[in-house]
Amino acid sequence: MSGGDNLEFEIRPNPAPVGDAERAALLANPGFGRIFTDHMVTIRYADGKGWYEPRVEARAPIPMDPASAVLHYAQEIFEGLKAYTLPDGGVAMFRPDANAARFAQSAQRMAMPQLPVETFLRSLHEIIRIDRSWLPTSDEGSLYLRPFAYASEVFLGVRPSMEYLYLVIASPVGPYFSGGVKPVSVWVTPDYTRAAPGGTGAAKCGGNYAAGLSAQAEAIENGCDQVVYLDAVERKYIDELGGMNVFFVLDDGSLVTPPLTGTILPGITRDSVIKLAERAGRKVEERPVSLAEWQEGAMTGRIREAFACGTAAVITPIGQVKSAGDEFLVADGGTGEVTADLRKQLVDIQRGRAEDPFGWVHRVS
């Protein structure tokens, strides 16, 4: 059973919400992912019953049995998107339908039940409405939404769980990188890979990120901000960063990005960049790019810019690239005009400051 198509949410307001003065103090400098709103959404699933008991309730710890399946077999998926305050005082999300579709695709890959798109979208609307007072009004602020689901059946056995819990929590956030947008340095890991063909690279599951923590630590040890992965087969082609997709800007203004072959996450920001660039008349090519091509291109000027992109950081220029025994700078040093222009276009659309030619902005109120 799919269930969930016509669910009515039960609203249980938090009896002890954060006071206005305390909330204002928290919103003055929220950081990223460290403070949370008063409520959360929960929906349960049981095999043979479908999705049931949709609620908006006080954010609180989740009771969990030590034998809960997720703790042993890691059936878990999540999404991340933002809600913004619009110039007219309204609130909107950016491409939540795309997040809903990717959430369903991740569920299918992880042998989990798919939450209907309308229920996914409704859950986001509900938490934004009840916790709207938590939405930052600063130019760089937003309300980060984290929908996720996990196997909640109490059972030890290697098979898909028969019970799941879906939740949405919300966190008011400032810019992902403190101090504004500046070029990041990246480390090309020689030992670790992110995903292999046939694996879970295209699914947004926690295991992908847990497996990358050692590689990220390696990057920091080598003086870099982020890790870059090579492909798992030939160990020569760029896959993606630890949590972001990557683009290269050539000297003719065209863009190149690694193709979606199942080993990298199909980023929603990635897709938005492609559409914006093509609308502006830029050629965009999805093809493999080797580390050797990147380095040679940076030396000759053929590759003028490089940037990473994702929901949290939007678009971030890449400056220095380091690998075992070698390093180089992207030709423009990470201050490229194309990167900056694409970032401005995207941010202005997200925040309702520019025309939305693709219907990406989903108004909540």
Side-chain angles (χ1 to χ4, degrees), residues 59-314:
R59 183 181 180 275
I62 306 167
M64 182 177 289
D65 191 283
S68 295
V70 66
L71 299 177
H72 304 272
Y73 309 111
Q75 269 190 294
E76 180 271 347
I77 57 174
F78 69 97
E79 274 297 326
L81 66 159
K82 293 177 179 178
Y84 306 89
T85 300
L86 300 175
D88 64 4
V91 177
M93 293 179 284
F94 182 72
R95 301 191 68 182
D97 51 336
N99 289 95
R102 189 171 65 183
F103 194 71
Q105 292 164 3
S106 295
Q108 183 180 38
R109 178 62 185 85
M110 300 301 290
M112 298 170 64
Q114 296 183 27
L115 185 72
V117 169
E118 288 306 315
T119 302
F120 181 94
L121 296 176
R122 176 78 181 278
S123 71
L124 302 178
H125 277 251
E126 293 292 348
I127 198 166
I128 291 171
R129 285 178 181 137
I130 200 167
D131 282 337
R132 178 170 176 171
S133 59
W134 282 93
L135 214 155
T137 57
S138 62
D139 187 57
E140 291 289 328
S142 59
L143 188 65
Y144 186 81
L145 304 171
R146 171 53 61 86
F148 63 103
Y150 68 86
S152 57
E153 182 184 3
V154 179
F155 174 75
L156 297 182
V158 184
R159 62 157 173 77
S161 175
M162 298 179 70
E163 296 175 9
Y164 297 87
L165 183 62
Y166 167 81
L167 301 97
V168 185
I169 56 176
S171 174
V173 300
Y176 188 73
F177 294 113
S178 60
V181 179
K182 55 186 178 182
V184 295
S185 57
V186 297
W187 166 257
V188 184
T189 176
D191 300 316
Y192 298 102
T193 59
R194 180 183 174 276
T200 60
K204 198 166 179 67
C205 60
N208 289 344
Y209 296 82
L213 296 179
S214 292
Q216 179 61 30
E218 183 183 82
I220 294 172
E221 289 172 1
N222 282 276
C224 293
D225 302 303
Q226 291 283 322
V227 65
V228 175
Y229 294 101
L230 300 177
D231 73 287
V233 178
E234 298 188 59
R235 305 299 294 274
K236 62 184 289 188
Y237 296 105
I238 304 297
D239 254 9
E240 63 172 293
L241 273 67
M244 294 178 279
N245 298 124
V246 63
F247 279 83
F248 306 93
V249 183
L250 305 187
D251 55 2
D252 61 1
S254 64
L255 273 65
V256 179
T257 190
L260 299 179
T261 58
T263 62
I264 66 175
L265 187 72
I268 293 163
T269 306
R270 174 188 182 276
D271 181 71
S272 302
V273 167
I274 290 173
K275 288 182 168 58
L276 282 174
E278 291 178 337
R279 185 173 185 269
R282 296 186 186 278
K283 177 184 175 183
V284 181
E285 187 178 5
E286 297 180 68
R287 65 167 176 82
V289 176
S290 68
L291 177 60
E293 179 185 353
W294 190 2
Q295 182 167 11
E296 181 182 1
M299 292 174 61
T300 63
R302 173 58 174 160
I303 296 179
R304 296 295 306 169
E305 307 171 31
F307 62 86
C309 63
T311 296
V314 191

Side-chain angles (χ1 to χ4, degrees), residues 42-56:
T42 61
I43 311 177
R44 297 187 177 279
Y45 178 93
D47 191 49
K49 184 175 183 178
W51 296 98
Y52 68 101
E53 288 188 3
R55 293 175 180 166
V56 179

Side-chain angles (χ1 to χ4, degrees), residues 315-334:
I315 291 176
T316 302
I318 297 173
Q320 184 184 38
V321 183
K322 295 178 68 175
S323 59
D326 206 354
E327 62 181 86
F328 62 92
L329 287 174
V330 178
D332 69 348

